[in-house]
Amino acid sequence: MSTENEGTAAPTPPAAPSAPPVPVAASTTPEPSSAGRPGAAPVDASAHEAHPPAPGAGTEPTRQIPAAAPPAPPAYGQTSPGAQDPYGQTPQGQAPYGQAPAAHGAEGWPPPPPTVPAYGGDGGHGGDTWGAPLTAHGAPAPKPKGRGGLIAAVLVAALLAGGVGGGVGYWAAERGNDGAGSTTITATTPKDLKREPGSVAGLAAGSLPSVVTIEASAGDGEGGTGTGFVYDEEGHILTNNHVVASAANGGKLTATFSNGKKYDAEVVGRAQGYDVAVIKLKNAPTGLKPLPLGDSDKVAVGDSTIAIGAPFGLSNTVTTGIISAKNRPVASGDASGGKNSYMSALQTDASINPGNSGGPLLDGRGAVIGINSAIQSAGNGGFGGGQAGSIGLGFAIPINQAKNVAQSLIKTGKPVYPIISVSVDLQAKVEGAKISEQGASANELVDPNGPAGKAGLKPGDIITQFGGKPIDSGPTLISEIWTYKPGDTVKLTYLRDGKPNTVDITLGSRVGDKP
């Protein structure tokens, strides 16, 4: 793996109780809206990140035009030619429109009383139902069930659907009105909102004071923003090399804590191949609290993670996720392959973006298990750089490796790399890491006095395992070698003429980055 740092018309509503529905024109139909040798490289090469493109555009939902509203009925108590009164009767003293009035006493005159209103109310006539016949006892006949009952049922259902809260409020009000006392129900809020120390909020609160936002700039104004964290009480800050590289030679470097205090800083040492750097605060304050370091070898897939950093310059940003995978071979750098950085990375789905680089990746206890260094971004298959955003594929340098590098940089200012002294063909289409056969003499491709030469390896051999882990490419081999220290003895398996061979190899060393 390589890197680079809503129509349909509305139905006619029901008529009001005082007037029958008036026919209306059909509703309108909704109208939709518009809308060295190429491919050969030494095992200890190094580098930085590339720039993915911006995300694509989305689509817009279709707008809907609402149906036309029905015309309003005539006002209550008013009539128009040919119109009936609100109860379906022609007004007294007026013939239907276009007809002569009937003679006095003729059939149909005087007109009958109006029919019972649909709502069945008292209509202001002393409480009796207007126009309703009386029973033998002089009491009004029982009201028939009809539209009013249906409406009431609907209203009851609506009230019930309002929920328990509304019902309780109504009940309490009724109790108050009948004089039997009242009940008040109020919500309660805890006096103190406490967060457990082991919660994400608790861990973040304890870690943020030890995380800094780094601003680096060269003399020509080039630079950027990254993250780092307190490594020791002397003021050493651990971060990525690519965060501070622009200020390494006479540039300006500052570190700002979460409380807003800013300090000038200087580069102590850089390891381009590992993409690790150490800087130190000038006039460091007392009481610095280093973040505790965990054991990245004991991390398991599924473990919780917390990433802290300054994505796109937004300092003190906290995101969470899990460990998605381990031992991901990641090579980040320029297209030439001459200055690459290699890591056997921890993969996490915690949101990591440009500006998170150099920040800590914490475990569920708040201990640092890695340094956030690269992301996979959609579009160009690269990592890191540009204005790309997180797609849930972030990679961190395991802290066990970064700690060893940091100690060397603090002591000597230079990195030390374990090597096997062979040239690897990075473009070979084989399942493994092939030792180059061309581009230089045999002694340059495999140093006879180096670790691989002494173990009997030759140009053309294909390394398939290193330390018991499968090797599928040159970058994977380099990433695995650099998880060890010089002097470690490791088992190596290679193929020669299709036959596997396994040997023990003692790793050599190289001080400093290649020019």
Side-chain angles (χ1 to χ4, degrees):
M1 181 181 292
S2 62
T3 71
E4 257 190 281
N5 281 330
E6 193 169 85
T8 57
T12 302
S18 60
V22 179
V24 297
S27 58
T28 58
T29 301
E31 180 181 47
S33 63
S34 59
R37 157 189 169 273
V43 181
D44 44 273
S46 37
H48 36 196
E49 309 172 292
H51 309 267
T59 58
E60 180 177 326
T62 303
R63 294 189 344 183
Q64 301 276 337
I65 299 177
Y76 182 75
Q78 295 181 0
T79 61
S80 58
Q84 292 181 328
D85 71 0
Y87 307 109
Q89 305 295 323
T90 303
Q92 293 185 15
Q94 180 177 330
Y97 185 70
Q99 297 180 16
H104 181 71
E107 183 180 355
W109 186 263
T115 57
V116 179
Y119 48 75
D122 61 16
H125 296 278
D128 293 339
T129 301
W130 184 38
L134 298 177
T135 63
H137 301 285
K143 288 188 294 183
K145 294 183 180 179
R147 184 189 182 106
L150 175 60
I151 293 175
V154 172
L155 291 176
V156 169
L159 288 173
L160 290 176
V164 176
V168 170
Y170 175 78
W171 174 77
E174 287 296 297
R175 285 178 58 86
N177 291 336
D178 63 18
S182 63
T183 301
T184 301
I185 300 176
T186 60
T188 59
T189 302
K191 293 182 179 180
D192 297 317
L193 181 59
K194 295 182 179 180
R195 295 177 175 85
E196 296 299 325
S199 67
V200 173
L203 295 173
S207 301
L208 278 168
S210 300
V211 179
V212 298
T213 298
I214 298 174
E215 294 182 12
S217 61
D220 59 3
E222 180 186 357
T225 301
T227 310
F229 59 93
V230 177
Y231 182 73
D232 59 27
E233 295 179 351
E234 285 69 45
H236 289 107
I237 305 294
L238 194 53
T239 186
N240 282 143
N241 171 67
H242 74 263
V243 169
V244 303
S246 60
N249 299 310
K252 185 178 181 180
L253 197 62
T254 62
T256 305
F257 284 83
S258 60
N259 60 8
K261 293 184 178 180
K262 180 182 291 188
Y263 298 86
D264 290 332
E266 60 186 355
V267 176
V268 172
R270 301 186 298 132
Q272 186 174 20
Y274 292 118
D275 196 18
V276 173
V278 175
I279 65 175
K280 188 175 183 181
L281 304 178
K282 297 179 181 179
N283 302 316
T286 57
L288 287 176
K289 183 181 178 181
L291 286 181
L293 305 183
D295 186 348
S296 53
D297 290 340
K298 294 182 179 180
V299 169
V301 173
D303 282 351
S304 298
T305 58
I306 302 173
I308 304 178
F312 299 104
L314 301 173
S315 301
N316 310 314
T317 295
V318 177
T319 57
T320 63
I322 61 168
I323 292 293
S324 303
K326 297 176 60 176
N327 305 312
R328 287 293 197 213
V330 174
S332 60
D334 57 26
S336 68
K339 294 182 177 181
N340 287 340
S341 297
Y342 297 92
M343 66 180 104
S344 183
L346 295 176
Q347 179 182 328
T348 181
D349 66 347
S351 181
I352 296 174
N353 290 285
N356 276 104
S357 291
L361 184 68
L362 310 177
D363 63 12
R365 304 168 302 157
V368 182
I369 54 175
I371 301 177
N372 301 316
S373 182
I375 63 172
Q376 171 74 58
S377 54
N380 70 345
F383 292 82
Q387 295 300 303
S390 172
I391 60 172
L393 291 172
F395 302 93
I397 303 167
I399 194 60
N400 290 5
Q401 177 181 354
K403 177 174 60 176
N404 293 333
V405 178
Q407 290 172 347
S408 176
L409 294 176
I410 292 173
K411 290 180 181 178
T412 68
K414 295 181 179 182
V416 178
Y417 297 92
I419 58 173
I420 62 173
S421 300
V422 299
S423 178
V424 176
D425 186 352
L426 299 178
Q427 304 299 322
K429 305 299 182 181
V430 297
E431 285 297 320
K434 184 178 181 180
I435 299 176
S436 300
E437 296 181 279
Q438 299 176 358
S441 64
N443 287 346
E444 291 177 308
L445 297 174
V446 178
D447 183 353
N449 297 315
K454 291 180 179 179
L457 275 72
K458 297 180 180 180
D461 288 344
I462 301 174
I463 301 172
T464 59
Q465 287 190 22
F466 190 85
K469 294 179 181 178
I471 303 299
D472 59 4
S473 66
T476 302
L477 174 62
I478 300 171
S479 298
E480 285 301 326
I481 292 173
W482 287 2
T483 63
Y484 293 88
K485 295 184 294 184
D488 289 345
T489 299
V490 186
K491 287 191 177 295
L492 180 152
T493 299
Y494 65 94
L495 295 177
R496 180 181 296 168
D497 299 327
K499 297 180 180 180
N501 299 276
T502 300
V503 296
D504 288 334
I505 186 170
T506 301
L507 303 179
S509 65
R510 187 194 81 214
V511 177
D513 287 301
K514 287 188 175 183

